[in-house]
Amino acid sequence: MNVASTSIATETHWLLRKSSVQALGVFLFVVLGSLWALAQDTRFAYLLVYVWFGLAYGALLQYGRFCMASAVRDLFAVKVPRMAVGVMIAVALYAVVAAIVSLAGFSTFHPNAMGWHIVIGAAIFGFGIVFTGGCASGSLYKAGEGNMNSMLVIIAISFSQAVVVSASGWWDALVPQSWLDAAAAQDMPAELTITEGWFDIFTAGYIWGLKGTTMAEVLGMAETARGIILANTLLTAILPVMIILVALYVLYYRKSYLRRSGKASPTLRDEFAGMWAMCTSSRNTALAGIGLGILAGLHMYVTGALREHYGIFNFGELLVAMGYTDGLSIQDTVFDPGYWYITTQEAQWGGWVMQKLGIDSMDSIFFGLDNGLPNPLLNAPGFMSIGIILGAAIMALSRREFKWKMPSWETAFFAIVGGTLMGIGARLAMGCNIGAFFATVTNGDPSGWVFLIGMTLGAYVGVKVFTWWMDWSTARKAGECGL
């Protein structure tokens, strides 16, 4: 049999597999749903951008098993830098594409407020991801593989955030008086209970007093090509990535590489060869990092171009124009970051369900002022998260890696507790590993590195606690069996 006939036979075999047919079915479902939405109103193209980029994110995440929880767990538990290297590759490429987008005038990025809350929130988030086995984006793609544990994590993240930003009670008295005074001094609409609920007081009394900035602004080069390229891209993203990659090589990869290659007295050329070997040690992870970095930048470009095309700043304006006003904030806006982001849209899912159950959440700053609580069928970033799940499902089915995995009582407990901690941490830090780290450092906001430090510290403690728990659990079970 010649090569051509062998290739045709392989392709035919792939198409005849049940899982491949299912993958095509999921893909066609998204296609038909997109066509139906455009038939209702062509302006839904804005929402569909989130859908299709989400689909691509999900496929790449699953292909590379790409997860920051895996990155920190592998480093601290088994001293393997593979996933951390992939994350750094993605950061570097996203930074390059983000610079191009900014130079073209289509950037939708806004820097985060810099403060101690980032470290604390990130540490709580990092501690939680160790017990769930997945970060914010990792939980979505694993849910697409049929992992019900990850679905529990998503539910826990959604409702924990919604409760955190809406709850009010005796704990309000624990906030500093200075925050309460600063919140009360804000000129805000009467519909918002700005001095009730600790998160509202925290937001209006503390966060709003902080400044979010990019490195270009710090160095007095804001909105200039020099500032975008040198300060935001090279200084804030590329240089730290190179330093981290060198550190990963020296601490985790160099010794074994030199031993395998038989280099007793390595030259500088040998060291560079070792660095390259580390970066390409997992082809799938490296390719996923490259793809995610490029896609994330393109996503920002396309969203910015559509905003200019429609003459809008926020998707809420399009919803109003199309006659959909239910669930909009008091400013007729909804959460619409314009780039890859996780957790806020999931908080909206939880808040929307709570609202339908009679628990009012629209009087909070988080939902009522800006983000709103739109119907999930009209939630553009929410569809990005759904797209990640479906994209991962398509990739997992096509690679025969999809499998329904039901949680045990123990893993379900870890998923709920860990997911709850992730939700609380994400709200305190004003973002997760995507919104508060990946999307920030790549656009010149140094607060993202502060988030990474906090998340790493929390994950380190989490690995130690989880290891202790597993050792204790194993010893207890062995004792029960009389071993």
Side-chain angles (χ1 to χ4, degrees):
M1 185 180 292
N2 59 36
V3 175
S5 59
T6 301
S7 176
I8 294 172
T10 301
E11 291 176 4
T12 303
H13 176 68
W14 182 87
L15 289 171
L16 290 176
R17 289 204 312 253
K18 180 180 178 181
S19 60
S20 300
V21 173
Q22 291 171 331
L24 289 173
V26 175
F27 181 78
L28 288 175
F29 171 76
V30 179
V31 171
L32 292 175
S34 299
L35 292 175
W36 178 85
L38 290 173
Q40 305 306 304
D41 197 310
T42 57
R43 288 170 290 188
F44 276 126
Y46 190 95
L47 180 149
L48 292 174
V49 166
Y50 279 104
V51 173
W52 283 92
F53 271 99
L55 205 74
Y57 291 143
L60 284 172
L61 288 167
Q62 199 284 327
Y63 176 78
R65 312 295 303 164
F66 203 89
C67 178
M68 288 192 70
S70 299
V72 294
R73 184 189 61 227
D74 290 353
L75 275 182
F76 297 138
V78 293
K79 301 187 183 304
V80 175
R82 175 183 60 86
M83 190 61 66
V85 169
V87 171
M88 289 301 109
I89 291 173
V91 168
L93 286 169
Y94 185 6
V96 172
V97 180
I100 297 171
V101 173
S102 296
L103 291 170
F106 291 120
S107 177
T108 58
F109 176 74
H110 298 283
N112 288 344
M114 178 74 85
W116 60 262
H117 65 286
I118 297 177
V119 175
I120 294 177
I124 296 172
F125 182 87
F127 187 87
I129 65 176
V130 173
F131 289 86
T132 62
C135 59
S137 54
S139 296
L140 289 170
Y141 94 71
K142 289 176 182 178
E145 294 178 330
N147 191 322
M148 291 297 97
N149 238 38
S150 295
M151 190 59 71
L152 286 176
V153 173
I154 295 169
I155 293 171
I157 290 175
S158 300
F159 284 98
S160 62
Q161 290 184 90
V163 171
V164 161
V165 302
S166 306
S168 178
W170 60 266
W171 48 85
D172 293 358
L174 299 178
V175 301
Q177 185 62 41
S178 59
W179 292 5
L180 188 60
D181 294 340
Q186 302 287 346
D187 183 19
M188 297 297 293
E191 298 96 315
L192 302 179
T193 56
I194 195 168
T195 56
E196 296 179 17
W198 78 269
F199 192 82
D200 279 1
I201 301 170
F202 165 71
T203 301
Y206 170 69
I207 295 294
W208 288 357
L210 303 175
K211 179 175 175 57
T213 187
T214 63
M215 187 59 72
E217 292 172 341
V218 171
L219 299 179
M221 297 187 290
E223 299 181 6
T224 66
R226 184 182 175 192
I228 291 169
I229 296 171
L230 295 181
N232 289 349
T233 305
L234 293 179
L235 186 58
T236 309
I238 304 296
L239 181 59
V241 162
M242 294 306 299
I243 293 172
I244 291 172
L245 286 175
V246 170
L248 291 172
Y249 171 69
V250 172
L251 296 175
Y252 295 98
Y253 195 82
R254 182 176 183 270
K255 185 177 180 180
S256 60
Y257 170 76
L258 294 179
R259 185 178 62 250
R260 292 193 306 270
S261 59
K263 304 288 185 179
S265 301
T267 63
L268 185 60
R269 183 176 181 178
D270 294 329
E271 301 290 11
F272 277 117
M275 284 278 293
W276 177 255
M278 180 186 71
C279 292
T280 58
S281 60
S282 176
R283 185 177 68 91
N284 287 9
T285 301
L287 289 175
I290 292 170
L292 289 169
I294 295 172
L295 274 174
L298 288 176
H299 183 182
M300 188 162 53
Y301 176 85
V302 174
T303 305
L306 278 177
R307 286 181 180 180
E308 184 172 283
H309 172 73
Y310 288 119
I312 63 170
F313 179 75
N314 183 272
F315 183 50
E317 298 170 67
L318 272 186
L319 288 175
V320 170
M322 291 187 287
Y324 302 103
T325 58
D326 187 44
L328 301 184
S329 74
I330 59 176
Q331 301 182 88
D332 283 341
T333 57
V334 291
F335 177 61
D336 178 24
Y339 47 84
W340 190 13
Y341 208 101
I342 311 289
T343 66
T344 295
Q345 59 264 39
E346 293 169 10
Q348 288 177 307
W349 292 343
W352 184 82
V353 172
M354 288 167 56
Q355 194 82 358
K356 292 302 178 182
L357 294 175
I359 304 172
D360 185 24
S361 299
M362 287 296 283
D363 60 350
S364 68
I365 291 176
F366 186 80
F367 291 128
L369 182 62
D370 293 310
N371 295 322
L373 283 174
N375 187 308
L377 295 177
L378 298 172
N379 189 328
F383 268 108
M384 177 168 55
S385 292
I386 294 172
I388 291 174
I389 295 173
L390 296 178
I394 291 171
M395 183 62 73
L397 286 166
S398 66
R399 301 173 72 194
R400 289 190 288 187
E401 293 178 355
F402 184 93
K403 183 180 180 181
W404 292 111
K405 300 175 184 175
M406 302 307 294
S408 65
W409 287 108
E410 183 179 53
T411 58
F413 174 78
F414 284 148
I416 294 170
V417 172
T420 298
L421 290 173
M422 289 168 65
I424 294 171
R427 283 308 98 227
L428 279 175
M430 297 292 161
C432 64
N433 58 293
I434 300 300
F437 166 65
F438 192 61
T440 54
V441 297
T442 50
N443 284 278
D445 181 355
S447 71
W449 293 116
V450 177
F451 181 92
L452 182 64
I453 291 170
M455 188 186 74
T456 303
L457 291 173
Y460 177 79
V461 175
V463 167
K464 295 298 183 182
V465 173
F466 187 74
T467 301
W468 169 83
W469 170 268
M470 294 304 295
D471 290 343
W472 176 83
S473 180
T474 301
R476 180 176 61 85
K477 291 177 181 176
E480 291 175 353
C481 295
L483 298 178

